[in-house]
Amino acid sequence: METVKRTKIKALLASEPGVEVLAKGWVRTKRGNKQVKFIALNDGSTINNIQIVANTENFDEELLKRVTTGASLAVKGQLVASVGSGQAVEIQATEIEVLGDCDPMRFPLQKKDTTLEYLRSVAHMRLRTNTFGAVLRIRNAMAYAIHTFFNQKGFVYLHTPLITESDAEGAGDMFQVTTLDLKNIPLDKKGNVDFSKDFFGKKTSLTVSGQLEGELGATAVGEIYTFGPTFRAENSNTPRHLAEFWMIEPEMAFYDLKDNMELAEEFVKYLVKYALDNCMDDLKFLNDKYDDGLIERMQGVIGIPFQHVTYTQAVEILENAVANGVKFEYPVHWGTDFQSEHERYLVEKHFQKPVILTDFPKDIKAFYMKQNEDGRTVRGMDVLFPKIGEIIGGSEREASLEKLEARIEELGMSRKNLEWYIDTRRYGTVPHSGFGLGFERLLLFVTGMANIRDVIPFPRTPKNAEF
Ligand code: 4AD
Ligand code: MG
Protein backbone atom coordinates (compact mmCIF):
# COMPACT_ATOMS: atom_id res chain seq x y z
CA MET A 1 0.00 0.00 0.00
CA GLU A 2 2.47 2.56 1.21
CA THR A 3 4.52 2.49 -2.00
CA VAL A 4 2.29 5.38 -3.03
CA LYS A 5 2.12 8.46 -0.81
CA ARG A 6 -1.32 9.21 0.63
CA THR A 7 -3.13 12.21 -0.87
CA LYS A 8 -5.95 13.99 0.93
CA ILE A 9 -9.33 13.79 -0.74
CA LYS A 10 -9.61 17.54 -1.24
CA ALA A 11 -6.43 17.43 -3.35
CA LEU A 12 -7.49 14.24 -5.15
CA LEU A 13 -10.75 15.82 -6.26
CA ALA A 14 -8.79 18.68 -7.80
CA SER A 15 -6.26 16.38 -9.52
CA GLU A 16 -5.97 15.30 -13.14
CA PRO A 17 -6.82 11.63 -13.78
CA GLY A 18 -4.25 9.06 -14.92
CA VAL A 19 -2.16 8.51 -11.79
CA GLU A 20 -1.95 5.85 -9.13
CA VAL A 21 -3.14 7.20 -5.77
CA LEU A 22 -3.62 6.21 -2.15
CA ALA A 23 -6.61 7.59 -0.22
CA LYS A 24 -7.54 7.09 3.42
CA GLY A 25 -10.77 7.97 5.15
CA TRP A 26 -14.09 6.84 6.56
CA VAL A 27 -16.90 5.24 4.58
CA ARG A 28 -19.91 7.45 4.18
CA THR A 29 -22.01 5.10 2.07
CA LYS A 30 -21.68 1.92 0.04
CA ARG A 31 -24.02 0.97 -2.77
CA GLY A 32 -23.87 -1.10 -5.95
CA ASN A 33 -24.69 -4.57 -7.23
CA LYS A 34 -23.11 -8.03 -7.59
CA GLN A 35 -20.48 -6.84 -10.05
CA VAL A 36 -19.43 -3.49 -8.68
CA LYS A 37 -19.52 -1.53 -5.42
CA PHE A 38 -19.43 2.27 -5.13
CA ILE A 39 -17.97 3.51 -1.88
CA ALA A 40 -18.19 7.17 -0.87
CA LEU A 41 -15.06 7.93 1.17
CA ASN A 42 -14.47 11.08 3.24
CA ASP A 43 -11.38 12.13 5.19
CA GLY A 44 -12.53 15.48 6.58
CA SER A 45 -10.36 17.59 4.27
CA THR A 46 -13.49 18.65 2.36
CA ILE A 47 -17.24 18.19 2.55
CA ASN A 48 -17.03 16.26 -0.73
CA ASN A 49 -16.47 12.49 -0.86
CA ILE A 50 -14.36 10.64 -3.35
CA GLN A 51 -16.06 7.74 -5.09
CA ILE A 52 -14.25 4.41 -4.92
CA VAL A 53 -15.20 1.90 -7.59
CA ALA A 54 -14.51 -1.72 -6.57
CA ASN A 55 -15.14 -4.53 -9.04
CA THR A 56 -16.27 -7.42 -6.85
CA GLU A 57 -14.30 -10.03 -8.85
CA ASN A 58 -11.05 -8.38 -7.71
CA PHE A 59 -11.87 -8.45 -3.99
CA ASP A 60 -12.58 -11.00 -1.34
CA GLU A 61 -16.29 -11.02 -0.50
CA GLU A 62 -15.54 -11.00 3.25
CA LEU A 63 -13.42 -7.87 2.86
CA LEU A 64 -16.15 -5.99 1.00
CA LYS A 65 -18.65 -6.97 3.73
CA ARG A 66 -16.45 -5.15 6.20
CA VAL A 67 -16.75 -1.96 4.16
CA THR A 68 -19.65 -0.47 6.13
CA THR A 69 -20.69 3.08 6.94
CA GLY A 70 -18.23 4.48 9.48
CA ALA A 71 -15.43 1.96 8.81
CA SER A 72 -11.98 3.39 8.04
CA LEU A 73 -10.17 2.38 4.85
CA ALA A 74 -6.96 2.73 2.92
CA VAL A 75 -7.61 2.46 -0.82
CA LYS A 76 -5.05 2.24 -3.58
CA GLY A 77 -6.01 2.55 -7.21
CA GLN A 78 -6.03 4.51 -10.40
CA LEU A 79 -7.49 8.00 -10.43
CA VAL A 80 -9.77 8.01 -13.47
CA ALA A 81 -12.26 10.38 -15.05
CA SER A 82 -15.68 9.58 -13.63
CA VAL A 83 -18.48 8.54 -15.94
CA GLY A 84 -21.13 9.13 -13.29
CA SER A 85 -22.41 12.63 -12.66
CA GLY A 86 -21.47 14.54 -9.54
CA GLN A 87 -17.73 14.10 -9.59
CA ALA A 88 -14.91 14.70 -12.09
CA VAL A 89 -12.69 11.88 -10.87
CA GLU A 90 -13.02 8.63 -8.97
CA ILE A 91 -10.69 5.86 -7.83
CA GLN A 92 -10.72 2.52 -9.62
CA ALA A 93 -9.60 0.44 -6.63
CA THR A 94 -6.82 -2.14 -6.90
CA GLU A 95 -6.23 -2.66 -3.15
CA ILE A 96 -8.52 -2.03 -0.18
CA GLU A 97 -7.50 -2.38 3.44
CA VAL A 98 -10.01 -2.02 6.27
CA LEU A 99 -8.11 -0.08 8.94
CA GLY A 100 -10.93 -0.08 11.47
CA ASP A 101 -14.22 -1.98 11.37
CA CYS A 102 -17.44 -0.27 12.33
CA ASP A 103 -20.25 -2.54 13.47
CA PRO A 104 -23.25 -1.43 11.39
CA MET A 105 -25.70 -2.66 14.04
CA ARG A 106 -24.16 -0.47 16.72
CA PHE A 107 -23.23 2.54 14.63
CA PRO A 108 -25.56 5.31 15.79
CA LEU A 109 -25.60 7.23 12.52
CA GLN A 110 -27.38 5.25 9.93
CA LYS A 111 -28.87 7.13 6.99
CA LYS A 112 -31.84 8.05 9.15
CA ASP A 113 -31.93 11.73 9.89
CA THR A 114 -30.36 12.35 13.26
CA THR A 115 -31.21 15.52 15.16
CA LEU A 116 -28.51 17.99 16.17
CA GLU A 117 -29.69 17.60 19.74
CA TYR A 118 -29.24 13.83 19.68
CA LEU A 119 -25.82 14.22 18.10
CA ARG A 120 -24.63 16.32 21.04
CA SER A 121 -24.78 13.15 23.14
CA VAL A 122 -22.55 11.08 20.79
CA ALA A 123 -19.33 13.05 20.70
CA HIS A 124 -17.31 10.85 18.34
CA MET A 125 -20.01 10.54 15.69
CA ARG A 126 -21.09 14.16 15.92
CA LEU A 127 -17.79 15.52 14.71
CA ARG A 128 -17.74 13.07 11.82
CA THR A 129 -21.00 14.25 10.29
CA ASN A 130 -21.06 16.48 7.21
CA THR A 131 -22.52 19.24 9.34
CA PHE A 132 -19.73 19.30 11.89
CA GLY A 133 -17.08 18.81 9.28
CA ALA A 134 -18.36 21.99 7.65
CA VAL A 135 -18.66 23.85 10.96
CA LEU A 136 -15.17 22.83 12.11
CA ARG A 137 -13.52 23.82 8.84
CA ILE A 138 -15.27 27.20 8.87
CA ARG A 139 -14.35 27.67 12.53
CA ASN A 140 -10.73 27.01 11.65
CA ALA A 141 -10.83 29.38 8.67
CA MET A 142 -12.27 32.14 10.87
CA ALA A 143 -9.56 31.68 13.51
CA TYR A 144 -6.91 31.93 10.81
CA ALA A 145 -8.55 35.02 9.28
CA ILE A 146 -8.68 36.73 12.68
CA HIS A 147 -4.95 36.31 13.21
CA THR A 148 -4.27 37.39 9.62
CA PHE A 149 -6.40 40.53 9.92
CA PHE A 150 -4.70 41.78 13.06
CA ASN A 151 -1.20 40.78 12.03
CA GLN A 152 -1.55 42.67 8.75
CA LYS A 153 -2.40 45.73 10.84
CA GLY A 154 0.57 45.28 13.17
CA PHE A 155 -1.45 44.33 16.27
CA VAL A 156 0.32 42.22 18.90
CA TYR A 157 -1.38 38.98 19.98
CA LEU A 158 -1.45 39.31 23.77
CA HIS A 159 -1.99 36.26 25.97
CA THR A 160 -4.08 37.28 28.95
CA PRO A 161 -4.60 35.01 31.95
CA LEU A 162 -7.50 32.62 32.34
CA ILE A 163 -7.23 32.65 36.12
CA THR A 164 -7.74 36.11 37.55
CA GLU A 165 -8.62 38.01 40.70
CA SER A 166 -10.53 40.76 38.87
CA ASP A 167 -14.13 40.82 37.66
CA ALA A 168 -13.68 42.78 34.44
CA GLU A 169 -17.32 43.19 33.58
CA GLY A 170 -18.48 43.76 37.16
CA ALA A 171 -21.34 41.39 36.50
CA GLY A 172 -20.46 38.90 39.21
CA ASP A 173 -21.12 35.79 37.11
CA MET A 174 -17.73 34.13 37.53
CA PHE A 175 -16.59 30.56 38.10
CA GLN A 176 -14.47 30.39 41.21
CA VAL A 177 -11.09 28.62 41.07
CA THR A 178 -10.06 26.98 44.31
CA THR A 179 -8.13 24.07 45.77
CA LEU A 180 -9.75 24.47 49.18
CA ASP A 181 -11.41 21.36 50.59
CA LEU A 182 -15.09 22.12 50.08
CA LYS A 183 -16.01 19.82 52.98
CA ASN A 184 -13.70 21.66 55.32
CA ILE A 185 -13.44 25.31 54.36
CA PRO A 186 -11.01 27.40 56.45
CA LEU A 187 -12.67 30.44 58.04
CA ASP A 188 -11.12 33.65 59.38
CA LYS A 189 -11.94 35.24 62.74
CA LYS A 190 -15.05 36.92 61.30
CA GLY A 191 -16.34 33.61 59.94
CA ASN A 192 -15.59 34.44 56.28
CA VAL A 193 -13.77 32.05 53.96
CA ASP A 194 -10.04 32.43 54.59
CA PHE A 195 -8.71 32.69 51.05
CA SER A 196 -5.17 33.22 52.31
CA LYS A 197 -5.16 29.43 52.72
CA ASP A 198 -6.20 28.92 49.09
CA PHE A 199 -3.76 28.05 46.27
CA PHE A 200 -3.17 31.65 45.18
CA GLY A 201 -3.61 33.11 48.65
CA LYS A 202 -6.61 35.09 47.44
CA LYS A 203 -10.01 34.58 45.86
CA THR A 204 -9.63 33.78 42.14
CA SER A 205 -11.94 33.01 39.24
CA LEU A 206 -11.93 32.09 35.56
CA THR A 207 -11.80 35.20 33.42
CA VAL A 208 -14.95 36.78 31.94
CA SER A 209 -12.82 39.00 29.67
CA GLY A 210 -9.16 39.70 28.94
CA GLN A 211 -9.89 43.38 28.46
CA LEU A 212 -8.40 44.87 31.62
CA GLU A 213 -5.08 43.11 31.03
CA GLY A 214 -5.50 43.99 27.34
CA GLU A 215 -5.61 47.69 28.25
CA LEU A 216 -2.21 47.34 29.90
CA GLY A 217 -0.90 45.77 26.70
CA ALA A 218 -2.38 48.51 24.49
CA THR A 219 -0.95 51.26 26.65
CA ALA A 220 2.46 49.60 26.28
CA VAL A 221 2.72 48.39 22.67
CA GLY A 222 -0.11 50.41 21.13
CA GLU A 223 -2.45 47.87 19.60
CA ILE A 224 -3.13 44.36 20.85
CA TYR A 225 -5.70 41.65 20.49
CA THR A 226 -6.55 38.67 22.63
CA PHE A 227 -8.16 35.49 21.37
CA GLY A 228 -8.95 32.89 23.97
CA PRO A 229 -11.47 31.05 26.10
CA THR A 230 -13.81 33.10 28.26
CA PHE A 231 -16.06 31.87 31.05
CA ARG A 232 -19.39 33.11 32.31
CA ALA A 233 -21.49 31.42 34.95
CA GLU A 234 -24.64 33.24 33.93
CA ASN A 235 -27.55 30.84 34.00
CA SER A 236 -28.75 31.70 30.49
CA ASN A 237 -30.04 28.63 28.74
CA THR A 238 -30.46 30.34 25.36
CA PRO A 239 -29.35 29.44 21.83
CA ARG A 240 -26.84 32.34 22.02
CA HIS A 241 -25.08 31.76 25.37
CA LEU A 242 -22.31 29.39 26.39
CA ALA A 243 -20.65 29.09 29.78
CA GLU A 244 -17.30 28.65 28.00
CA PHE A 245 -16.88 30.58 24.78
CA TRP A 246 -14.06 32.17 22.82
CA MET A 247 -13.64 35.90 22.54
CA ILE A 248 -11.44 38.17 20.44
CA GLU A 249 -10.66 41.45 22.17
CA PRO A 250 -8.67 44.11 20.33
CA GLU A 251 -7.57 47.12 22.40
CA MET A 252 -6.06 50.23 20.82
CA ALA A 253 -4.26 53.25 22.24
CA PHE A 254 -5.18 56.60 20.65
CA TYR A 255 -8.52 55.31 19.27
CA ASP A 256 -11.73 57.13 20.07
CA LEU A 257 -15.21 55.63 19.72
CA LYS A 258 -15.41 56.52 16.02
CA ASP A 259 -12.09 54.79 15.27
CA ASN A 260 -13.31 51.82 17.30
CA MET A 261 -16.54 51.53 15.30
CA GLU A 262 -14.63 51.75 12.02
CA LEU A 263 -12.27 48.96 13.05
CA ALA A 264 -15.12 46.73 14.25
CA GLU A 265 -16.98 47.13 10.96
CA GLU A 266 -13.89 46.52 8.84
CA PHE A 267 -13.04 43.47 10.97
CA VAL A 268 -16.37 41.64 10.75
CA LYS A 269 -16.72 42.43 7.06
CA TYR A 270 -13.24 41.01 6.47
CA LEU A 271 -14.17 37.80 8.29
CA VAL A 272 -17.48 37.32 6.49
CA LYS A 273 -15.80 37.97 3.13
CA TYR A 274 -13.01 35.55 4.02
CA ALA A 275 -15.57 32.83 4.67
CA LEU A 276 -17.32 33.54 1.35
CA ASP A 277 -13.99 33.49 -0.51
CA ASN A 278 -12.54 30.38 1.14
CA CYS A 279 -15.32 28.14 2.46
CA MET A 280 -17.88 28.07 -0.36
CA ASP A 281 -18.29 24.26 -0.53
CA ASP A 282 -19.13 24.13 3.17
CA LEU A 283 -21.32 27.25 3.01
CA LYS A 284 -23.34 25.81 0.12
CA PHE A 285 -23.91 22.62 2.10
CA LEU A 286 -25.08 24.53 5.19
CA ASN A 287 -27.15 26.92 3.08
CA ASP A 288 -28.97 23.98 1.48
CA LYS A 289 -29.40 21.94 4.63
CA TYR A 290 -30.18 24.48 7.36
CA ASP A 291 -30.64 28.04 6.21
CA ASP A 292 -31.39 28.97 2.63
CA GLY A 293 -30.78 32.66 3.38
CA LEU A 294 -27.24 32.11 4.70
CA ILE A 295 -25.08 33.07 1.73
CA GLU A 296 -27.34 35.94 0.75
CA ARG A 297 -27.28 37.33 4.30
CA MET A 298 -23.49 37.12 4.37
CA GLN A 299 -23.19 38.91 1.05
CA GLY A 300 -25.65 41.53 2.26
CA VAL A 301 -23.58 42.38 5.32
CA ILE A 302 -20.34 43.01 3.45
CA GLY A 303 -22.03 45.14 0.80
CA ILE A 304 -23.43 48.02 2.88
CA PRO A 305 -22.29 50.50 5.52
CA PHE A 306 -23.56 49.65 9.01
CA GLN A 307 -26.23 51.92 10.50
CA HIS A 308 -25.11 54.08 13.44
CA VAL A 309 -27.75 54.92 16.03
CA THR A 310 -27.62 56.01 19.65
CA TYR A 311 -29.33 54.03 22.36
CA THR A 312 -31.68 56.97 23.00
CA GLN A 313 -32.74 57.09 19.34
CA ALA A 314 -33.19 53.32 19.32
CA VAL A 315 -35.50 53.48 22.36
CA GLU A 316 -37.67 55.98 20.48
CA ILE A 317 -37.84 53.66 17.47
CA LEU A 318 -38.80 50.71 19.67
CA GLU A 319 -41.38 52.72 21.64
CA ASN A 320 -42.92 53.87 18.36
CA ALA A 321 -43.04 50.27 17.16
CA VAL A 322 -44.88 49.25 20.33
CA ALA A 323 -47.30 52.17 19.88
CA ASN A 324 -47.95 50.86 16.37
CA GLY A 325 -48.81 47.39 17.58
CA VAL A 326 -45.48 45.52 17.54
CA LYS A 327 -45.44 43.04 20.44
CA PHE A 328 -42.28 42.36 22.44
CA GLU A 329 -41.99 39.84 25.24
CA TYR A 330 -39.94 42.27 27.37
CA PRO A 331 -40.88 45.91 27.97
CA VAL A 332 -38.59 48.61 26.61
CA HIS A 333 -38.05 52.16 27.89
CA TRP A 334 -35.08 54.42 28.48
CA GLY A 335 -32.79 52.69 30.97
CA THR A 336 -33.57 49.06 30.10
CA ASP A 337 -31.00 46.75 28.59
CA PHE A 338 -32.19 45.58 25.17
CA GLN A 339 -33.18 41.95 24.73
CA SER A 340 -32.30 40.13 21.54
CA GLU A 341 -35.89 40.60 20.27
CA HIS A 342 -35.34 44.39 20.42
CA GLU A 343 -31.93 44.17 18.77
CA ARG A 344 -33.31 41.98 16.00
CA TYR A 345 -36.26 44.31 15.42
CA LEU A 346 -33.85 47.20 14.84
CA VAL A 347 -31.64 45.17 12.49
CA GLU A 348 -34.12 43.01 10.62
CA LYS A 349 -37.26 45.12 10.53
CA HIS A 350 -36.41 48.77 11.01
CA PHE A 351 -33.01 49.36 9.37
CA GLN A 352 -32.59 46.05 7.50
CA LYS A 353 -28.83 46.17 7.92
CA PRO A 354 -26.28 45.70 10.72
CA VAL A 355 -26.55 48.38 13.40
CA ILE A 356 -23.96 49.94 15.70
CA LEU A 357 -25.70 51.14 18.84
CA THR A 358 -23.82 53.72 20.93
CA ASP A 359 -24.09 55.91 24.03
CA PHE A 360 -25.88 53.68 26.50
CA PRO A 361 -27.19 54.59 29.96
CA LYS A 362 -24.20 54.22 32.27
CA ASP A 363 -26.12 52.01 34.68
CA ILE A 364 -26.45 49.13 32.21
CA LYS A 365 -22.77 49.15 31.19
CA ALA A 366 -19.44 48.30 32.82
CA PHE A 367 -17.46 50.70 35.00
CA TYR A 368 -14.62 51.28 32.52
CA MET A 369 -16.62 52.99 29.75
CA LYS A 370 -15.89 56.64 29.00
CA GLN A 371 -18.53 58.91 30.49
CA ASN A 372 -20.31 61.41 28.28
CA GLU A 373 -20.78 65.08 29.21
CA ASP A 374 -24.48 64.52 29.89
CA GLY A 375 -23.63 62.57 33.06
CA ARG A 376 -26.02 59.74 32.26
CA THR A 377 -24.61 57.95 29.19
CA VAL A 378 -21.31 56.29 28.31
CA ARG A 379 -19.40 55.83 25.06
CA GLY A 380 -20.18 52.15 24.58
CA MET A 381 -20.95 50.44 21.31
CA ASP A 382 -22.75 47.21 20.43
CA VAL A 383 -22.69 45.80 16.92
CA LEU A 384 -26.00 44.08 16.14
CA PHE A 385 -26.37 41.49 13.36
CA PRO A 386 -29.33 39.92 11.61
CA LYS A 387 -30.50 36.66 13.24
CA ILE A 388 -27.91 37.05 16.03
CA GLY A 389 -28.48 40.34 17.81
CA GLU A 390 -25.35 41.47 19.67
CA ILE A 391 -22.20 40.09 18.07
CA ILE A 392 -19.72 42.70 19.39
CA GLY A 393 -19.65 44.79 22.56
CA GLY A 394 -17.08 47.51 23.18
CA SER A 395 -16.39 51.11 24.12
CA GLU A 396 -14.03 53.99 24.38
CA ARG A 397 -12.46 53.65 27.84
CA GLU A 398 -12.56 56.20 30.63
CA ALA A 399 -9.06 57.68 30.44
CA SER A 400 -9.46 60.18 33.28
CA LEU A 401 -8.15 58.97 36.64
CA GLU A 402 -10.61 61.10 38.62
CA LYS A 403 -13.68 59.99 36.68
CA LEU A 404 -12.67 56.33 36.73
CA GLU A 405 -12.03 56.39 40.48
CA ALA A 406 -15.34 58.15 41.09
CA ARG A 407 -17.22 55.51 39.07
CA ILE A 408 -15.53 52.61 40.89
CA GLU A 409 -16.48 54.28 44.16
CA GLU A 410 -20.04 54.91 43.02
CA LEU A 411 -20.50 51.24 42.09
CA GLY A 412 -19.03 50.08 45.39
CA MET A 413 -16.40 47.96 43.63
CA SER A 414 -13.35 46.71 45.46
CA ARG A 415 -10.48 49.04 44.58
CA LYS A 416 -7.90 46.77 46.12
CA ASN A 417 -8.05 44.30 43.21
CA LEU A 418 -8.02 47.09 40.62
CA GLU A 419 -5.06 49.29 41.60
CA TRP A 420 -2.83 47.63 38.98
CA TYR A 421 -5.42 48.63 36.36
CA ILE A 422 -6.02 52.15 37.64
CA ASP A 423 -2.26 52.72 37.38
CA THR A 424 -2.65 52.98 33.57
CA ARG A 425 -4.53 56.25 34.20
CA ARG A 426 -1.83 57.47 36.59
CA TYR A 427 1.19 57.00 34.39
CA GLY A 428 0.78 58.44 30.90
CA THR A 429 -2.93 57.82 30.38
CA VAL A 430 -4.17 58.03 26.77
CA PRO A 431 -7.52 57.92 25.03
CA HIS A 432 -8.06 54.30 24.08
CA SER A 433 -10.79 51.94 22.95
CA GLY A 434 -11.53 48.31 22.29
CA PHE A 435 -14.20 45.71 21.76
CA GLY A 436 -14.98 42.03 22.13
CA LEU A 437 -16.25 39.77 19.37
CA GLY A 438 -17.91 36.56 20.54
CA PHE A 439 -16.29 33.92 18.33
CA GLU A 440 -19.27 31.55 18.47
CA ARG A 441 -21.71 34.40 17.75
CA LEU A 442 -19.67 35.11 14.62
CA LEU A 443 -19.82 31.41 13.77
CA LEU A 444 -23.60 31.39 14.16
CA PHE A 445 -23.66 34.12 11.54
CA VAL A 446 -21.31 32.45 9.07
CA THR A 447 -22.70 28.91 9.39
CA GLY A 448 -26.41 29.60 9.68
CA MET A 449 -26.64 27.18 12.60
CA ALA A 450 -29.48 28.10 14.94
CA ASN A 451 -27.97 27.00 18.26
CA ILE A 452 -24.62 28.19 19.63
CA ARG A 453 -24.01 24.68 21.02
CA ASP A 454 -23.62 23.50 17.43
CA VAL A 455 -20.72 25.75 16.46
CA ILE A 456 -18.30 24.61 19.20
CA PRO A 457 -16.97 21.04 19.35
CA PHE A 458 -17.60 20.49 23.07
CA PRO A 459 -20.24 22.93 24.37
CA ARG A 460 -20.43 23.89 28.04
CA THR A 461 -23.80 25.13 29.25
CA PRO A 462 -25.68 25.03 32.58
CA LYS A 463 -25.87 21.38 33.77
CA ASN A 464 -23.80 20.20 30.83
CA ALA A 465 -20.04 19.64 30.74
CA GLU A 466 -19.88 16.20 29.11
CA PHE A 467 -16.75 14.90 27.44
O1 4AD B 1 -20.41 42.55 25.59
P1 4AD B 1 -19.39 41.75 26.36
O2 4AD B 1 -19.77 41.27 27.71
O3 4AD B 1 -18.11 42.68 26.40
C1 4AD B 1 -16.95 42.40 27.05
O4 4AD B 1 -16.69 41.38 27.61
C2 4AD B 1 -15.91 43.49 26.89
N1 4AD B 1 -14.86 43.26 27.90
C3 4AD B 1 -15.37 43.47 25.50
C4 4AD B 1 -14.33 44.53 25.26
O5 4AD B 1 -14.69 45.69 25.19
N2 4AD B 1 -13.07 44.18 25.18
O6 4AD B 1 -18.97 40.49 25.50
C5 4AD B 1 -18.43 40.67 24.20
C6 4AD B 1 -19.06 39.69 23.24
C7 4AD B 1 -20.57 39.83 23.09
O7 4AD B 1 -20.91 40.86 22.19
C8 4AD B 1 -20.95 38.46 22.58
O8 4AD B 1 -20.70 38.37 21.19
C9 4AD B 1 -19.97 37.55 23.30
O9 4AD B 1 -18.88 38.35 23.70
N3 4AD B 1 -20.57 36.91 24.47
C10 4AD B 1 -20.94 35.62 24.53
N4 4AD B 1 -20.89 34.64 23.61
C11 4AD B 1 -21.35 33.42 23.97
N5 4AD B 1 -21.81 33.12 25.20
C12 4AD B 1 -21.88 34.06 26.17
N6 4AD B 1 -22.32 33.76 27.39
C13 4AD B 1 -21.43 35.39 25.84
N7 4AD B 1 -21.33 36.55 26.53
C14 4AD B 1 -20.81 37.44 25.68
MG1 MG C 1 -22.36 43.14 25.72
Side-chain angles (χ1 to χ4, degrees):
M1 274 276 182
E2 303 288 343
T3 50
V4 186
K5 209 168 172 308
R6 173 199 166 209
T7 310
K8 289 204 212 173
I9 290 171
K10 184 177 180 180
L12 286 178
L13 290 172
S15 301
E16 290 299 322
V19 279
E20 185 173 47
V21 296
L22 173 61
K24 296 184 180 181
W26 294 270
V27 176
R28 280 285 152 84
T29 56
K30 183 180 72 173
R31 59 188 179 83
N33 50 39
K34 280 217 161 60
Q35 285 78 44
V36 60
K37 300 285 177 206
F38 299 101
I39 303 159
L41 197 70
N42 189 284
D43 66 1
S45 60
T46 159
I47 188 108
N48 300 310
N49 306 323
I50 191 144
Q51 173 157 285
I52 313 291
V53 183
N55 292 328
T56 49
E57 60 182 23
N58 300 335
F59 296 96
D60 186 37
E61 200 183 325
E62 284 310 305
L63 176 92
L64 287 181
K65 270 195 198 143
R66 289 169 61 206
V67 176
T68 57
T69 298
S72 50
L73 307 184
V75 178
K76 200 154 92 175
Q78 195 72 12
L79 193 69
V80 297
S82 175
V83 281
S85 60
Q87 65 270 326
V89 289
E90 61 192 21
I91 298 175
Q92 187 70 49
T94 51
E95 276 179 62
I96 295 178
E97 185 187 337
V98 176
L99 300 172
D101 290 281
C102 184
D103 183 347
M105 299 312 286
R106 301 174 70 188
F107 189 68
L109 291 188
Q110 292 301 313
K111 276 178 212 150
K112 70 174 189 279
D113 211 15
T114 338
T115 66
L116 291 168
E117 200 172 5
Y118 170 71
L119 280 175
R120 283 182 219 132
S121 67
V122 231
H124 67 115
M125 286 301 134
R126 179 176 184 252
L127 298 191
R128 223 192 271 168
T129 57
N130 279 331
T131 298
F132 281 92
V135 166
L136 292 183
R137 282 184 296 270
I138 294 172
R139 192 178 164 103
N140 174 63
M142 289 295 88
Y144 179 76
I146 285 160
H147 287 299
T148 307
F149 177 85
F150 285 121
N151 276 277
Q152 280 171 358
K153 288 191 175 295
F155 282 51
V156 171
Y157 180 25
L158 183 75
H159 301 110
T160 50
L162 298 191
I163 300 173
T164 175
E165 61 169 325
S166 72
D167 178 359
E169 293 303 300
D173 44 13
M174 305 179 81
F175 290 101
Q176 210 172 309
V177 174
T178 181
T179 53
L180 291 178
D181 177 359
L182 296 183
K183 283 201 223 119
N184 186 17
I185 297 172
L187 300 177
D188 64 15
K189 288 196 192 85
K190 288 187 194 144
N192 297 319
V193 178
D194 184 1
F195 285 107
S196 71
K197 303 259 163 46
D198 205 346
F199 187 90
F200 294 107
K202 56 177 65 156
K203 187 177 174 184
T204 53
S205 306
L206 294 178
T207 185
V208 295
S209 160
Q211 178 195 322
L212 300 193
E213 292 88 353
E215 286 186 50
L216 271 75
T219 51
V221 293
E223 291 159 337
I224 63 94
Y225 69 105
T226 71
F227 184 2
T230 310
F231 308 87
R232 296 200 183 170
E234 55 195 335
N235 203 2
S236 320
N237 239 320
T238 81
R240 304 180 318 129
H241 287 89
L242 290 165
E244 177 178 294
F245 62 101
W246 287 61
M247 185 153 55
I248 301 97
E249 294 185 276
E251 189 72 32
M252 299 75 63
F254 316 113
Y255 273 52
D256 64 11
L257 186 66
K258 187 167 160 290
D259 303 321
N260 203 24
M261 289 194 285
E262 272 172 24
L263 182 74
E265 181 167 341
E266 184 189 345
F267 178 46
V268 278
K269 281 181 168 168
Y270 176 90
L271 297 178
V272 173
K273 182 166 186 311
Y274 189 93
L276 285 168
D277 289 347
N278 294 278
C279 307
M280 203 32 110
D281 283 352
D282 290 322
L283 289 178
K284 277 189 184 140
F285 169 81
L286 295 168
N287 192 88
D288 289 350
K289 180 149 185 177
Y290 295 103
D291 179 352
D292 61 9
L294 171 64
I295 293 173
E296 200 181 295
R297 208 161 43 245
M298 288 171 68
Q299 282 161 343
V301 158
I302 58 175
I304 35 166
F306 295 179
Q307 177 73 41
H308 293 192
V309 56
T310 66
Y311 169 90
T312 303
Q313 291 164 334
V315 169
E316 279 169 25
I317 293 167
L318 293 168
E319 282 177 338
N320 269 331
V322 171
N324 288 319
V326 174
K327 296 251 182 307
F328 293 121
E329 193 181 334
Y330 295 90
V332 58
H333 53 82
W334 204 93
T336 55
D337 208 352
F338 291 170
Q339 302 292 326
S340 86
E341 55 174 346
H342 304 127
E343 297 170 343
R344 293 186 58 180
Y345 178 85
L346 293 168
V347 173
E348 291 163 28
K349 296 277 159 33
H350 191 82
F351 291 113
Q352 301 189 337
K353 55 178 128 163
V355 168
I356 310 187
L357 265 183
T358 61
D359 301 285
F360 298 87
K362 65 176 181 186
D363 292 332
I364 60 170
K365 289 293 180 188
F367 75 98
Y368 51 68
M369 293 195 183
K370 183 178 168 68
Q371 295 160 47
N372 279 322
E373 299 292 318
D374 64 13
R376 37 179 232 153
T377 60
V378 288
R379 296 190 76 64
M381 63 168 209
D382 278 0
V383 180
L384 313 180
F385 257 38
K387 276 198 85 177
I388 313 296
E390 180 189 336
I391 194 163
I392 284 179
S395 73
E396 182 169 346
R397 317 306 188 191
E398 184 53 79
S400 145
L401 175 64
E402 292 71 33
K403 285 189 184 160
L404 185 68
E405 285 182 319
R407 188 70 185 135
I408 290 171
E409 188 88 356
E410 195 177 8
L411 289 168
M413 295 173 70
S414 152
R415 276 194 61 146
K416 204 169 82 277
N417 297 344
L418 280 172
E419 286 303 332
W420 61 274
Y421 172 75
I422 300 172
D423 277 345
T424 54
R425 275 63 166 178
R426 288 195 181 100
Y427 306 105
T429 188
V430 287
H432 63 289
S433 299
F435 61 82
L437 168 69
F439 191 46
E440 286 76 18
R441 298 261 176 103
L442 168 78
L443 285 166
L444 282 176
F445 187 73
V446 296
T447 61
M449 301 302 283
N451 194 318
I452 199 162
R453 293 166 179 79
D454 294 327
V455 295
I456 188 164
F458 302 99
R460 268 83 186 93
T461 50
K463 297 280 177 289
N464 171 47
E466 271 188 277
F467 318 123

